[in-house]
Amino acid sequence: MNKLLAPLGALCLALLPLTLPAPSQAAEVLTLSDAVGRIKTAEEARTGYTRTAFKHWNSGEDRADGCNTRAEVLLAEAIVAPTVSPGCKISGGTWRSYYDNQEVTGPAGLDIDHMVPLAEAWDSGASAWTPAKREAYANDQKATTSLVAVTARTNRQKADQDPADWLPPAPEARCRYVAEWVSTKLRWKLSADQPEVEALKVFAESACEDTVVQYTVVK
């Protein structure tokens, strides 16, 4: 090798990344009916569940912004941006709670709902997860369907119920809700009991037959 070129070659090698970035995982896109068919049917068990088994809210996706997961979801879903003061204190702003089609001014009237509630996730497979995986589930912002800002009233009416027992009060919200429920179950490889599956099938085969489900499985 030309001695003048050798240092340049070494420099180029030094500038190469040590590892190539992994390709992003492609999302699965299915009809609601096909997506429901992919959920494993299994009995549920609440034994041993405590809400504290799912650490939340943690420091969020951006560790440098001073906001926890709840605050980051509020900021991401605002339709009119709120004011953010030091310490991530949020005031003002406007949100649309799609469960009941209500416009909410200010964050105080909002809850951040886990699309599949923590207790339901425990019943459906999360009881076998590590604490770190349960924390990742409880703070999942990598899928926009996992956490949603809604009126505190509807979140508390829903509690830990699945679609066999509770649906959003706004009829126009139900296909979206069912699709996001199924997406979350598939993303985290959670099962569903028989009444839940039957309720999902009713929507998949009638009112929501044209609804699409998109998800990426958590590895």
Side-chain angles (χ1 to χ4, degrees):
M1 178 184 292
N2 187 310
K3 290 182 179 180
L4 293 175
L5 295 177
L8 181 59
L11 177 61
C12 290
L13 287 172
L15 292 175
L16 288 173
L18 295 178
T19 58
L20 293 174
S24 58
Q25 187 179 351
E28 292 271 6
V29 181
L30 302 169
T31 65
L32 180 57
S33 180
D34 287 345
V36 171
R38 289 197 181 186
I39 299 176
K40 178 184 176 182
T41 304
E43 293 296 320
E44 296 182 354
R46 186 65 54 93
T47 305
Y49 169 72
T50 62
R51 190 169 174 82
T52 55
F54 295 80
K55 182 182 177 182
H56 68 292
W57 306 108
N58 66 16
S59 54
E61 287 289 288
D62 183 352
R63 301 297 175 92
D65 68 0
C67 298
N68 64 14
T69 299
R70 170 185 161 78
E72 287 182 354
V73 173
L74 286 172
L75 294 173
E77 296 192 4
I79 57 175
V80 175
T83 299
V84 184
S85 303
C88 199
K89 294 180 180 178
I90 297 174
S91 59
T94 304
W95 289 260
R96 172 67 62 178
S97 167
Y98 92 82
Y99 287 4
D100 50 0
N101 197 27
Q102 295 296 306
E103 190 172 281
V104 180
T105 302
L110 295 163
D111 281 353
I112 304 303
D113 182 36
H114 292 93
M115 175 54 60
V116 174
L118 302 182
E120 169 71 18
W122 179 274
D123 298 350
S124 307
S127 59
W129 294 350
T130 63
K133 186 171 181 179
R134 288 196 288 267
E135 180 179 353
Y137 176 85
N139 297 275
D140 183 17
Q141 294 186 68
K142 291 182 170 62
T144 58
T145 56
S146 295
L147 300 169
V148 57
V150 295
T151 56
R153 178 181 63 256
T154 54
N155 184 47
R156 292 163 198 183
Q157 288 171 349
K158 172 182 173 179
D160 59 4
Q161 298 176 94
D162 68 34
D165 299 308
W166 188 88
L167 290 165
E172 66 274 16
R174 290 174 183 172
C175 288
R176 174 182 170 182
Y177 180 80
V178 169
E180 293 185 354
W181 180 280
V182 171
S183 172
T184 305
K185 285 253 167 163
L186 290 173
R187 172 170 169 75
W188 289 91
K189 297 182 180 178
L190 295 169
S191 62
D193 63 15
Q194 194 62 46
E196 179 184 345
V197 169
E198 293 305 318
L200 295 171
K201 283 181 177 178
V202 168
F203 282 92
E205 294 169 2
S206 56
C208 307
E209 61 181 347
D210 295 326
T211 299
V212 171
V213 172
Q214 181 170 311
Y215 68 96
T216 303
V217 176
V218 173
K219 297 296 186 182

